[in-house]
Every structure is written in structure tokens, then in C-alpha cells.
Amino acid sequence: MARHRDFFTRFQEWTQATQKGADLSLTSTSGDGPCKWFEQTSHAVGEDDRKLLLSMCIKCADLANVVKPLSIADSWAERIMEEFYAQGEREIQMNLPLTQFSSRENAAWRLAKHQLSFLTNVVSPLFESFLQLADSESRALVRDHAEKNTVAWTKRMADLDPGKGAN
């Protein structure tokens, strides 16, 4: 996670610095100022910045599941939660400190809570910075999926809250 924060911070600083000198009022063929900004500055991007940009492309591709349509996001979430549970169970068998979930109790609630937290705290801030390089249609699509998934997972958490019946 520390490496993620480092890449993210460096990328935010890079986009802010390169945008300062660009004319964002210009429009590209799609009418997007940020796309024109990137067109204006991409020829001057140095090797380190290219590596940073490529790293961010890969990172966004890796984390994009939570900003896809809900059925796809849920499918991938179930896979990662299964991996977390299996790791936790293995750690218990080996008498190791737990680094992941070990209990499958309230699995649907845990999945919703985990995905909502991951989307809110990791993916959304990353994508908001990265989407500055995208056209308006792509930005709207990603934001729409993120909002719909947020609403769905928030509702699931409320509906399945294990503490709700304890009172």
C-alpha cells in the first residue's frame, strides 16, 4: 500500500505540474480541455514521467474491477474475498498472525464493506487523478459505475448488517 501511495502522490504532482503551463481552454476534437493538455505536453514527457504514467496505467487496469458494471465488480470481488478467506484459513493452520479475513461469517456483508472501502479510499482518488487524461465520455462512464456500485454496496451493508439484529 505504501508503494501505491507513492505512485499516486507522484502522479498527482505530475499532473498538477504539467497542467500549470498548459492551455486548458483549448479543445481537442472531442471537446476535452484535459485531453488537449495531454496532447500539448505528451511530446515533452521524459523517461521517468513515461514510466510513472505507464505504471499508473497498469495500476488502474489492475484496480478497475470496482468501477465496472456491478455484476462484473461483484464477480471479481467474490474471487478476491475467496482468496482472502483461503489465506486467512491457511494462516490459522500454520499458527501465523492473521493478515486477512479468516471467518466466512457474514460473507456478503464483508464483501460489500470491503469493496465500498476499497472503492472510496483507494480506487476513486486514483481514478479521479487518472481520468484527467481521459475524454469526457470515459470519465462519465467510470464515475457512473463507481456511483452505482457505491449505492449498491452501501445498501447491501445496511440490509445485511450483522449488528442490526443484535439490539
Side-chain angles (χ1 to χ4, degrees), residues 8-9 19 34 53 74 81 85 99 102 104 108 122 124 138-139:
F8 178 59
T9 301
Q19 281 184 351
L53 184 56
D74 276 343
M81 293 302 287
Y85 290 134
T99 59
S102 61
R104 294 172 189 266
V122 178
S124 286
S138 297
R139 286 193 301 272

Side-chain angles (χ1 to χ4, degrees), residues 143-163:
R143 288 175 178 149
D144 182 58
H145 289 318
E147 179 60 30
K148 286 177 179 174
N149 294 351
T150 297
V151 169
W153 290 325
T154 300
K155 182 178 181 333
R156 271 190 221 157
M157 280 181 56
D159 291 348
L160 301 171
D161 185 353

Side-chain angles (χ1 to χ4, degrees), residues 65-146:
N65 296 317
V66 294
V67 292
K68 291 186 178 182
L70 185 62
S71 62
I72 296 171
D74 276 343
S75 176
W76 281 105
E78 289 167 5
R79 289 179 181 108
I80 192 68
M81 293 302 287
E82 180 58 36
E83 189 176 315
F84 289 163
Y85 290 134
Q87 180 177 334
E89 290 163 356
R90 186 80 171 131
E91 288 168 347
I92 288 171
Q93 289 173 349
M94 298 176 73
N95 291 323
L96 295 172
L98 287 175
T99 59
Q100 300 295 340
F101 308 107
S102 61
S103 172
R104 294 172 189 266
E105 187 176 343
N106 305 311
W109 177 81
R110 286 179 193 264
L111 182 143
K113 182 179 181 194
H114 179 271
Q115 291 305 103
L116 183 60
S117 177
F118 185 60
L119 175 59
T120 303
N121 297 312
V122 178
V123 176
S124 286
L126 173 68
F127 271 75
E128 280 305 314
S129 288
F130 194 75
L131 286 173
Q132 293 177 52
L133 304 177
D135 61 279
S136 58
E137 186 177 327
S138 297
R139 286 193 301 272
L141 182 66
V142 168
R143 288 175 178 149
D144 182 58
H145 289 318

